[in-house]
Amino acid sequence: MQEIVVYLILLGAVGYAAWWVYERLRKSDDPCEGCTGCQLKELKERAKECEKRKKSCCCTKK
């Protein structure tokens, strides 16, 4: 019984590690991944909003 529990824990740990690596590789093209925030990230988010809205008002500097 103890061996089964140990194998389940190991299987869960390996599964989590594989998922973590997959997520990091999937988002590797984003230079701001994992960053808490900076001016570059704010500008990038503002550009995304402008593309969505297609308005020039949000793209102007304040």
XYZ file of all heavy atoms in Angstrom:
497
model
N 0.817 -1.197 0.000
C 0.000 0.000 0.000
C 0.864 1.266 0.000
O 0.545 2.227 -0.689
C -0.918 -0.033 1.235
C -1.883 1.100 1.294
S -3.035 0.992 -0.073
C -4.043 2.372 0.246
N 1.930 1.252 0.790
C 2.802 2.414 0.842
C 3.473 2.677 -0.503
O 3.656 3.834 -0.899
C 3.877 2.217 1.910
C 3.346 2.259 3.327
C 4.430 1.975 4.348
O 5.516 1.527 4.000
N 4.114 2.211 5.613
N 3.820 1.629 -1.214
C 4.457 1.791 -2.520
C 3.507 2.460 -3.511
O 3.928 3.299 -4.306
C 4.909 0.446 -3.061
C 6.085 -0.138 -2.317
C 6.503 -1.485 -2.874
O 5.959 -1.906 -3.919
O 7.375 -2.117 -2.269
N 2.241 2.114 -3.441
C 1.255 2.708 -4.338
C 1.149 4.209 -4.070
O 1.106 5.024 -4.994
C -0.109 2.008 -4.181
C -0.012 0.572 -4.675
C -1.193 2.766 -4.927
C -1.237 -0.263 -4.396
N 1.121 4.579 -2.810
C 1.033 5.989 -2.445
C 2.275 6.737 -2.933
O 2.178 7.833 -3.485
C 0.844 6.150 -0.919
C 0.961 7.616 -0.510
C -0.478 5.572 -0.477
N 3.446 6.145 -2.749
C 4.687 6.772 -3.196
C 4.674 6.935 -4.710
O 5.049 7.985 -5.241
C 5.917 5.950 -2.740
C 7.189 6.442 -3.425
C 6.063 6.011 -1.233
N 4.235 5.915 -5.446
C 4.171 5.997 -6.906
C 3.184 7.075 -7.360
O 3.437 7.789 -8.324
C 3.810 4.648 -7.517
C 4.919 3.623 -7.411
C 4.636 2.309 -7.050
C 6.244 3.963 -7.660
C 5.641 1.362 -6.950
C 7.252 3.030 -7.558
C 6.948 1.727 -7.206
O 7.946 0.803 -7.119
N 2.063 7.199 -6.670
C 1.099 8.239 -7.012
C 1.678 9.632 -6.775
O 1.478 10.549 -7.585
C -0.194 8.057 -6.215
C -1.069 6.873 -6.619
C -2.243 6.745 -5.658
C -1.547 7.040 -8.042
N 2.397 9.806 -5.683
C 3.027 11.095 -5.399
C 4.082 11.404 -6.455
O 4.151 12.526 -6.971
C 3.618 11.113 -3.978
C 2.494 11.094 -2.945
C 4.523 12.329 -3.776
C 2.954 10.904 -1.518
N 4.900 10.415 -6.798
C 5.912 10.614 -7.831
C 5.278 10.911 -9.182
O 5.754 11.779 -9.924
C 6.822 9.393 -7.940
C 7.815 9.206 -6.801
C 8.565 7.891 -6.955
C 8.786 10.365 -6.749
N 4.217 10.223 -9.512
C 3.509 10.465 -10.766
C 2.949 11.887 -10.799
O 3.043 12.581 -11.811
C 2.376 9.452 -10.952
C 1.580 9.556 -12.243
C 2.476 9.260 -13.444
C 0.409 8.595 -12.206
N 2.396 12.334 -9.679
C 1.893 13.699 -9.600
C 3.004 14.731 -9.748
O 2.848 15.740 -10.432
N 4.145 14.482 -9.130
C 5.274 15.410 -9.225
C 5.816 15.470 -10.647
O 6.104 16.555 -11.169
C 6.378 14.997 -8.260
N 5.941 14.335 -11.301
C 6.421 14.309 -12.687
C 5.409 14.978 -13.609
O 5.775 15.736 -14.505
C 6.719 12.856 -13.132
C 6.951 12.774 -14.631
C 7.914 12.307 -12.376
N 4.135 14.739 -13.382
C 3.101 15.386 -14.182
C 3.116 16.894 -14.021
O 2.993 17.632 -14.999
N 3.289 17.371 -12.800
C 3.348 18.808 -12.553
C 4.580 19.416 -13.224
O 4.500 20.483 -13.832
C 3.362 19.099 -11.048
C 3.520 20.571 -10.749
C 2.445 21.440 -10.903
C 4.738 21.092 -10.351
C 2.585 22.794 -10.644
C 4.887 22.442 -10.087
C 3.810 23.289 -10.237
O 3.955 24.619 -9.997
N 5.717 18.748 -13.123
C 6.945 19.251 -13.745
C 6.792 19.309 -15.260
O 7.213 20.282 -15.898
C 8.134 18.370 -13.364
N 6.172 18.307 -15.859
C 5.953 18.307 -17.309
C 5.019 19.440 -17.708
O 5.252 20.127 -18.714
C 5.386 16.960 -17.752
N 3.972 19.666 -16.934
C 3.035 20.763 -17.225
C 3.738 22.106 -17.122
O 3.550 22.988 -17.949
C 1.859 20.692 -16.248
C 0.966 21.883 -16.330
C 0.002 22.130 -17.251
C 0.982 23.017 -15.463
N -0.589 23.346 -17.006
C -0.006 23.913 -15.915
C 1.738 23.359 -14.343
C -0.259 25.118 -15.284
C 1.472 24.565 -13.727
C 0.491 25.421 -14.194
N 4.585 22.270 -16.088
C 5.301 23.523 -15.877
C 6.236 23.815 -17.049
O 6.270 24.934 -17.552
C 6.086 23.434 -14.576
C 6.747 24.709 -14.178
C 6.190 25.747 -13.499
C 8.098 25.089 -14.453
N 7.122 26.748 -13.325
C 8.295 26.370 -13.906
C 9.154 24.476 -15.105
C 9.503 27.036 -13.989
C 10.353 25.150 -15.178
C 10.523 26.408 -14.633
N 6.975 22.810 -17.499
C 7.874 22.983 -18.636
C 7.075 23.314 -19.893
O 7.443 24.196 -20.668
C 8.744 21.727 -18.845
C 9.482 21.773 -20.165
C 9.724 21.574 -17.688
N 5.961 22.630 -20.097
C 5.115 22.895 -21.268
C 4.622 24.342 -21.276
O 4.667 25.020 -22.299
C 3.927 21.935 -21.277
C 2.884 22.279 -22.306
C 3.105 22.019 -23.649
C 1.687 22.885 -21.938
C 2.158 22.348 -24.608
C 0.736 23.218 -22.878
C 0.977 22.947 -24.207
O 0.034 23.286 -25.146
N 4.154 24.838 -20.145
C 3.670 26.213 -20.050
C 4.790 27.217 -20.333
O 4.569 28.217 -20.999
C 3.066 26.481 -18.670
C 1.727 25.823 -18.462
C 0.657 26.397 -19.350
O 0.578 27.631 -19.497
O -0.114 25.605 -19.916
N 5.980 26.960 -19.829
C 7.102 27.878 -20.058
C 7.509 27.881 -21.530
O 7.834 28.931 -22.073
C 8.314 27.507 -19.198
C 8.081 27.669 -17.712
C 7.651 29.100 -17.376
N 7.326 29.246 -15.985
C 6.097 29.388 -15.514
N 5.077 29.376 -16.307
N 5.884 29.534 -14.229
N 7.506 26.742 -22.163
C 7.860 26.676 -23.580
C 6.787 27.315 -24.451
O 7.091 27.933 -25.466
C 8.091 25.228 -24.008
C 9.338 24.567 -23.438
C 9.383 23.104 -23.846
C 10.594 25.288 -23.880
N 5.538 27.162 -24.049
C 4.441 27.728 -24.827
C 4.487 29.250 -24.799
O 4.158 29.920 -25.778
C 3.108 27.233 -24.262
C 1.908 27.604 -25.095
C 0.680 26.920 -24.552
N 0.351 27.404 -23.231
C -0.702 28.164 -22.955
N -1.517 28.517 -23.908
N -0.944 28.550 -21.731
N 4.904 29.821 -23.695
C 4.931 31.266 -23.537
C 6.334 31.838 -23.704
O 6.592 32.968 -23.330
C 4.394 31.654 -22.157
C 2.960 31.256 -21.950
C 2.505 31.594 -20.562
C 1.082 31.139 -20.323
N 0.656 31.416 -18.961
N 7.237 31.101 -24.282
C 8.627 31.551 -24.371
C 8.816 32.712 -25.338
O 9.811 33.427 -25.254
C 9.535 30.391 -24.788
O 9.225 29.972 -26.109
N 7.873 32.938 -26.249
C 8.022 34.036 -27.193
C 7.614 35.382 -26.593
O 7.812 36.414 -27.212
C 7.222 33.772 -28.463
C 5.737 33.601 -28.188
O 5.372 33.268 -27.056
O 4.952 33.792 -29.129
N 7.065 35.381 -25.402
C 6.653 36.612 -24.728
C 7.762 37.075 -23.786
O 8.038 36.423 -22.779
C 5.373 36.382 -23.937
C 4.817 37.651 -23.340
O 5.318 38.741 -23.677
O 3.866 37.552 -22.543
N 8.432 38.194 -24.095
C 9.534 38.631 -23.234
C 9.073 39.103 -21.857
O 9.876 39.176 -20.936
C 10.164 39.785 -24.014
C 9.074 40.305 -24.874
C 8.224 39.106 -25.215
N 7.809 39.406 -21.700
C 7.303 39.904 -20.410
C 6.713 38.797 -19.550
O 6.133 39.086 -18.502
C 6.247 40.982 -20.655
S 6.914 42.466 -21.386
N 6.833 37.571 -19.953
C 6.265 36.471 -19.182
C 6.948 36.390 -17.819
O 8.156 36.352 -17.711
C 6.433 35.146 -19.916
C 5.917 33.957 -19.164
C 4.455 34.056 -18.807
O 3.676 34.609 -19.580
O 4.095 33.568 -17.739
N 6.171 36.401 -16.780
C 6.689 36.306 -15.432
C 7.076 37.634 -14.822
O 7.387 37.711 -13.645
N 7.030 38.685 -15.586
C 7.396 40.013 -15.085
C 6.201 40.610 -14.344
O 5.056 40.477 -14.770
C 7.781 40.909 -16.258
S 8.247 42.568 -15.806
N 6.482 41.291 -13.246
C 5.391 41.885 -12.474
C 4.906 43.190 -13.080
O 3.804 43.619 -12.806
C 5.837 42.147 -11.028
O 6.975 42.999 -11.057
C 6.167 40.849 -10.327
N 5.713 43.814 -13.890
C 5.272 45.038 -14.538
C 6.395 46.041 -14.692
O 7.240 46.175 -13.828
N 6.386 46.707 -15.823
C 7.353 47.764 -16.093
C 6.757 48.635 -17.192
O 5.661 48.378 -17.685
C 8.708 47.193 -16.502
S 8.671 46.247 -18.031
N 7.480 49.647 -17.607
C 6.965 50.533 -18.645
C 6.785 49.807 -19.965
O 5.829 50.055 -20.690
C 7.896 51.716 -18.823
C 7.850 52.687 -17.679
C 8.800 53.848 -17.893
O 9.636 53.817 -18.783
N 8.665 54.863 -17.060
N 7.695 48.892 -20.294
C 7.580 48.143 -21.538
C 6.315 47.297 -21.554
O 5.588 47.259 -22.547
C 8.803 47.250 -21.736
C 8.801 46.364 -22.972
C 8.744 47.220 -24.234
C 10.023 45.482 -22.997
N 6.013 46.659 -20.444
C 4.814 45.833 -20.361
C 3.555 46.690 -20.467
O 2.594 46.320 -21.133
C 4.802 45.027 -19.063
C 3.702 43.995 -19.023
C 3.851 43.081 -17.830
C 2.815 41.997 -17.862
N 2.996 41.025 -16.802
N 3.571 47.858 -19.827
C 2.422 48.757 -19.904
C 2.202 49.231 -21.337
O 1.066 49.294 -21.812
C 2.622 49.942 -18.974
C 2.553 49.585 -17.506
C 2.966 50.729 -16.603
O 3.179 51.856 -17.106
O 3.079 50.500 -15.392
N 3.287 49.563 -22.035
C 3.163 49.988 -23.430
C 2.635 48.859 -24.311
O 1.820 49.077 -25.209
C 4.515 50.470 -23.962
C 5.004 51.801 -23.421
C 6.423 52.072 -23.896
C 4.072 52.923 -23.842
N 3.094 47.667 -24.042
C 2.644 46.502 -24.810
C 1.144 46.273 -24.596
O 0.408 46.015 -25.540
C 3.447 45.285 -24.374
C 3.205 44.063 -25.204
C 4.117 42.936 -24.741
C 3.823 41.680 -25.502
N 4.639 40.567 -25.073
N 0.699 46.375 -23.346
C -0.722 46.191 -23.054
C -1.561 47.302 -23.680
O -2.651 47.057 -24.184
C -0.944 46.118 -21.552
C -0.412 44.842 -20.938
C -0.494 44.829 -19.430
O -0.929 45.841 -18.833
O -0.109 43.811 -18.833
N -1.050 48.529 -23.659
C -1.768 49.653 -24.269
C -1.890 49.441 -25.785
O -2.934 49.710 -26.373
C -1.060 50.961 -23.984
C -1.811 52.145 -24.566
C -1.120 53.436 -24.282
N -1.341 53.781 -22.874
C -0.784 54.802 -22.281
N 0.053 55.579 -22.933
N -1.042 55.068 -21.018
N -0.840 48.917 -26.408
C -0.882 48.642 -27.847
C -1.919 47.573 -28.161
O -2.631 47.661 -29.169
C 0.492 48.211 -28.342
N -2.027 46.558 -27.300
C -3.042 45.525 -27.505
C -4.444 46.128 -27.415
O -5.324 45.784 -28.197
C -2.901 44.416 -26.462
C -1.804 43.450 -26.756
C -1.786 42.350 -25.708
C -0.654 41.405 -25.893
N -0.630 40.339 -24.876
N -4.649 47.016 -26.442
C -5.954 47.662 -26.288
C -6.276 48.501 -27.512
O -7.414 48.530 -27.976
C -5.975 48.534 -25.037
C -5.970 47.764 -23.748
C -5.899 48.674 -22.531
O -6.042 49.902 -22.688
O -5.686 48.149 -21.423
N -5.282 49.202 -28.038
C -5.502 50.039 -29.215
C -5.869 49.194 -30.424
O -6.711 49.586 -31.233
C -4.254 50.863 -29.523
S -3.989 52.193 -28.356
N -5.232 48.051 -30.564
C -5.565 47.166 -31.678
C -6.999 46.672 -31.561
O -7.706 46.560 -32.558
C -4.609 45.981 -31.714
C -3.268 46.303 -32.301
C -2.383 45.086 -32.398
O -2.912 43.956 -32.438
O -1.157 45.257 -32.442
N -7.417 46.381 -30.336
C -8.774 45.885 -30.130
C -9.809 46.965 -30.434
O -10.835 46.714 -31.052
C -8.956 45.393 -28.700
C -8.253 44.095 -28.407
C -8.476 43.691 -26.969
C -7.703 42.438 -26.627
N -7.860 42.080 -25.221
N -9.544 48.157 -29.992
C -10.525 49.233 -30.133
C -10.442 49.944 -31.479
O -11.406 50.536 -31.941
C -10.333 50.248 -29.025
C -10.654 49.677 -27.676
C -10.468 50.727 -26.624
N -10.612 50.140 -25.306
C -10.292 50.746 -24.200
N -9.820 51.972 -24.241
N -10.447 50.150 -23.048
N -9.268 49.953 -32.070
C -9.029 50.656 -33.336
C -9.377 52.140 -33.224
O -9.909 52.756 -34.125
C -9.815 50.020 -34.497
C -9.436 48.611 -34.821
C -8.078 48.576 -35.438
C -7.721 47.144 -35.798
N -6.434 46.975 -36.342
N -9.065 52.723 -32.057
C -9.283 54.144 -31.835
C -7.935 54.801 -31.604
O -7.042 54.222 -31.000
C -10.165 54.385 -30.607
C -11.576 53.925 -30.787
C -12.380 54.242 -29.546
C -13.802 53.784 -29.686
N -14.576 54.035 -28.468
N -7.790 55.995 -32.053
C -6.517 56.682 -31.863
C -6.429 57.370 -30.513
O -5.350 57.766 -30.088
C -6.310 57.712 -32.977
O -7.321 58.694 -32.913
N -7.528 57.484 -29.793
C -7.509 58.220 -28.535
C -6.681 57.511 -27.464
O -6.036 58.162 -26.659
C -8.924 58.453 -28.018
S -9.795 56.943 -27.576
N -6.681 56.209 -27.435
C -5.933 55.521 -26.383
C -4.466 55.398 -26.743
O -3.656 55.074 -25.880
C -6.513 54.142 -26.117
S -6.266 52.954 -27.439
N -4.115 55.650 -27.980
C -2.712 55.488 -28.392
C -1.908 56.767 -28.230
O -0.697 56.740 -28.342
C -2.639 55.056 -29.860
S -3.350 53.426 -30.117
N -2.576 57.868 -27.963
C -1.847 59.120 -27.823
C -1.187 59.184 -26.469
O -1.691 58.640 -25.485
C -2.801 60.323 -27.985
O -3.835 60.227 -27.008
C -3.407 60.349 -29.387
N -0.055 59.866 -26.415
C 0.627 60.033 -25.138
C -0.106 61.015 -24.264
O -0.660 61.984 -24.737
C 2.041 60.560 -25.380
C 3.064 59.492 -25.453
C 4.427 60.140 -25.433
C 5.462 59.106 -25.123
N 6.796 59.661 -25.126
N -0.104 60.744 -22.988
C -0.769 61.646 -22.047
C 0.234 62.510 -21.372
O 1.328 62.191 -21.133
C -1.546 60.837 -21.021
C -2.694 60.115 -21.645
C -3.452 59.355 -20.593
C -4.641 58.653 -21.240
N -5.406 57.916 -20.295
